[in-house]
Amino acid sequence: MAESISALKNGEVEIEYKKSSQIKEIWRRLKRNRTAVVGLFIISFIAIIALLAPVISPYNPYEQNLNQRLLGIGARGHILGTDEYGRDLLSRLIYGARLSLIVGFCSVAFGLVFGVLLGLLSGYYKRLDGIIMRIIDILLAFPGVLLALAIVSILGTGIVNVIIAVGIWSIPTIARVVRGTVLYIKEMDYVTAAKALGESDFMILFREILPNCISSIVVYSTMRLATAILSAATLSFLGLGAQPPVAEWGAMASTGRNFIFQAPHLTLLPGFAIILIVYGFNSLGDGLRDALDPNLKNV
């Protein structure tokens, strides 16, 4: 009995050691990719700014001062100037980072919940595959932004509806990614052995198959965050997302168009912030894909 317990403990220690070694190897490979490191730095920097927004923001982002409207960069104590209502642009950019990250993460999480579930069912059950994939194909037939526009038009404007719209747009592609991975994994020997031992479909799906889909899900989700943030900014730019006076980069760029010649920084700075965060997530996603790709293990 004591020998069995000791063997079990040794097995658990060995599994933990292997997991730790795998994580270290992934991190080592990720660090070798300079573009991915830059992307990780950008995302970390923006995330820290968003978390510390109430502390580091020099002004209240919603406080108006019409006597200081449309100030240029570095004028009268405003590092990045002010907007058409005299609100500090740097403060609004900082709070806009918080909103963009929240929208991005929430919409991708929404898409993951339904996309992963549909992908698992479609890839594992042949009788459901045709039905689910036809629904997915219908959704994919619409251009992404057009689909999001249609959903927001039905639900109405606002941040919550933007999250739902972008999340629904994310479901088809996530489902297809997971389905493709499941189709490959379910033919592996350990899945066949689990079926032979009488494990239920639920246990096979969520204990044997899903954990081995995590790497694909993580890589795609990271890249999808960039698309989600850009899509949310696009909807806000068109007036269907965040509504004034909410500090959101897309909405800020939209209102700044009216002063593009008088104060171009009102549009250019929010636009640059969007480009920066999208580049960060795309670069990190590419790096994670290379680090997690088993075909590159011996490179």
Side-chain angles (χ1 to χ4, degrees), residues 27-79:
W27 174 242
R28 184 186 69 81
R29 294 175 63 82
L30 185 64
K31 287 194 297 182
R32 290 169 55 186
N33 189 324
R34 294 183 179 179
T35 304
V37 173
V38 171
L40 180 60
F41 173 79
I42 291 172
I43 295 169
S44 301
F45 178 72
I46 294 176
I48 291 172
I49 287 177
L51 289 172
L52 300 179
V55 178
I56 65 176
S57 179
Y59 297 92
N60 184 331
Y62 302 109
E63 183 179 353
Q64 300 181 12
N65 186 350
L66 297 179
N67 294 325
Q68 296 186 352
R69 63 190 301 268
L70 299 178
L71 294 180
I73 295 176
R76 300 185 192 178
H78 296 277
I79 298 176

Side-chain angles (χ1 to χ4, degrees), residues 107-158:
S107 58
V108 171
F110 182 93
L112 281 175
V113 170
F114 294 97
V116 169
L117 181 60
L118 291 174
L120 286 173
L121 295 176
S122 178
Y124 190 76
Y125 295 106
K126 289 184 178 180
R127 62 181 182 273
L128 295 178
D129 189 29
I131 299 173
I132 294 175
M133 282 299 102
R134 297 300 74 77
I135 297 173
I136 296 301
D137 289 340
I138 292 172
L139 292 175
L140 288 174
F142 294 92
V145 175
L146 181 60
L147 178 61
L149 282 170
I151 295 171
V152 171
S153 299
I154 295 171
L155 299 177
T157 60

